[in-house]
Amino acid sequence: MDRRGLLTSVYDRTAGREAIAPGAAGNLLQLHPDDPNLWSAWNIDSYYRDTVRDLDEAESVTLVDEGPLLASVRVERAHGSSRFVQHIEPSAESRQVTVRNDIDWQERDTVLKAAWPLDVHAERESAEIQFGHVQRPTHENTSWDAARFELWAHRWVHVGERHWGAALLNDSTYGHDVHRDTREHGGTTTTVRLSLLRSPHSPDPQADRGRHRFSYALLAGAGIEEAIAGGYALNLPLRPAPARAQALVEVDTTDVVVESVKLADDRSGDIVVRLYEACGGAVAARLSTGFPLAAVFDCDLLERPEREPAHASGEVDLNFRPFQIRSLRLRPAVEEASRAEPSGG
């Protein structure tokens, strides 16, 4: 990190790769005028990119925590009546740099972006959608491509080439743009810019003004599997549990995600588990439970049992098509003693 509070290097020691493009800096906040011709709160017009202001001067850059497990640097900036406070946090044994934001936003007709120029030749981006991801080109060769000047994703955006990539994770800011440039002396820079805040004037002239707290992160050396896991980890941080706690359900492959676990609505005591194949390929998976199973059923969205996959006590063998979603109804085995009616007089 330099004296401006910008990241000039994020080095992946495992792969021996630099994530930030030469001569560039990551986590650069940028302001654009944002006053579309129609529907201020809903539209963003492509000409907003014609004017940009870089917030590359910091009021202060302060080391507030120096480890050993976590380092944290506090960066403070100001623009007009708005104030930007960021805590930039690398952690031990991790390829992730997390940026935690506390922003007092007082702009009008302005969009705030965070630019990450990455040293990667990415032909396309992969962006998470519900139960999967979509891929979009990073070029503007056709009118369709050019019309995608603002994109959306849920928890992560991934750009990569063979054997190496990087992901940008977020916990609440879903807009972004991406473009690819060839550097003068060779090499390709793929820049991903997260859309952080807007301030439309209509229908609410005070829209979005005030205090905002959110986080995003750069995960270097990430494939699609790491992007998925990183997105979940940022949005659903670990919570303390008893040391002897056993996992309720587990899956033996990172290609399949356990999206939700709940009790069946009919109060039968059955457990409903929803899973999906997240990487875009057919895969076999084994679901293990922390309790003995009496029966397992595929079920519909109303939790009605359909067919019964092969299973043994505590294990279920499953096959998934690319991006297939499956809901399972698990019936725990009940000890015979607990089934017996209590004797009475």
Side-chain angles (χ1 to χ4, degrees):
M1 185 181 300
D2 64 13
R3 60 180 178 80
R4 302 170 297 171
L6 302 178
L7 292 166
T8 56
S9 176
V10 178
Y11 189 75
D12 178 2
R13 293 182 178 275
T14 302
R17 284 281 302 257
E18 174 60 61
I20 304 298
N27 194 40
L28 173 61
L29 297 181
Q30 297 180 310
L31 294 171
H32 295 271
D34 176 30
D35 189 8
N37 290 321
L38 293 172
W39 314 116
S40 173
W42 287 270
N43 285 0
I44 183 169
D45 289 343
S46 61
Y47 59 76
Y48 85 91
R49 298 173 294 178
D50 297 341
T51 304
V52 61
R53 174 167 182 160
D54 295 341
L55 300 183
D56 55 1
E57 295 183 1
E59 289 186 345
S60 65
V61 179
T62 309
L63 179 64
V64 295
D65 198 335
E66 53 182 326
L69 298 180
L70 178 75
S72 181
V73 177
R74 179 185 174 97
V75 181
E76 297 186 43
R77 308 182 193 277
H79 174 75
S81 298
S82 299
R83 293 197 60 82
F84 308 83
V85 178
Q86 295 184 314
H87 285 83
I88 302 173
E89 301 174 349
S91 56
E93 303 299 327
S94 173
R95 290 175 292 183
Q96 180 170 313
V97 179
T98 304
V99 182
R100 305 195 186 279
N101 299 270
D102 186 349
I103 299 176
D104 184 8
W105 181 246
Q106 299 297 333
E107 306 305 308
R108 174 168 292 180
D109 294 328
T110 303
V111 60
L112 175 68
K113 297 261 185 177
W116 292 88
L118 303 174
D119 188 14
V120 59
H121 181 87
E123 297 286 343
R124 64 188 64 85
E125 67 152 25
S126 299
E128 190 195 36
I129 61 174
Q130 189 175 29
F131 302 118
H133 63 269
V134 295
Q135 294 184 331
R136 309 180 181 104
T138 57
H139 56 70
E140 296 185 0
N141 289 353
T142 69
S143 59
W144 288 14
D145 301 328
R148 284 191 285 258
F149 58 85
E150 182 75 6
L151 306 166
W152 58 270
H154 283 183
R155 285 169 287 214
W156 54 266
V157 178
H158 178 270
V159 291
E161 56 195 41
R162 181 171 170 79
H163 300 312
W164 197 86
L168 280 166
L169 320 173
N170 80 86
D171 68 358
S172 58
T173 55
Y174 309 123
H176 68 280
D177 65 80
V178 57
H179 64 273
R180 192 177 78 223
D181 299 300
T182 300
R183 298 192 291 266
E184 181 180 356
H185 300 293
T188 302
T189 298
T190 301
T191 301
V192 181
R193 300 194 312 153
L194 302 177
S195 302
L196 305 181
L197 292 169
R198 296 183 67 216
S199 48
H201 64 262
S202 174
D204 179 4
Q206 301 299 322
D208 295 342
R209 288 189 174 188
R211 198 80 170 269
H212 297 264
R213 293 186 179 94
F214 55 88
S215 299
Y216 54 84
L218 172 68
L219 182 57
I224 296 295
E225 297 92 337
E226 290 83 7
I228 295 167
Y232 272 102
L234 188 66
N235 284 267
L236 300 170
L238 294 176
R239 293 179 292 176
R244 296 182 181 179
Q246 186 174 6
L248 194 63
V249 294
E250 291 183 275
V251 181
D252 66 349
T253 173
T254 57
D255 288 12
V256 174
V257 173
V258 178
E259 171 63 27
S260 54
V261 181
K262 64 182 290 289
L263 288 172
D265 283 351
D266 60 10
R267 300 186 180 183
S268 63
D270 290 357
I271 297 169
V272 175
V273 179
R274 181 158 296 133
L275 313 94
Y276 69 98
E277 196 289 316
C279 297
V283 66
R286 174 165 290 177
L287 175 77
S288 302
T289 65
F291 53 88
L293 287 173
V296 179
F297 301 94
D298 278 283
C299 63
D300 60 18
L301 292 179
L302 296 179
E303 301 178 0
R304 295 175 299 197
E306 294 178 336
R307 57 191 177 277
E308 185 171 7
H311 74 279
S313 178
E315 292 186 342
V316 187
D317 291 321
L318 303 168
N319 290 298
F320 287 83
R321 301 186 303 274
F323 299 127
Q324 183 182 4
I325 307 165
R326 294 184 70 170
S327 296
L328 301 179
R329 184 168 178 136
L330 311 180
R331 184 160 298 158
V334 180
E335 297 293 338
E336 291 300 321
S338 65
R339 292 178 182 271
E341 293 291 334
S343 58

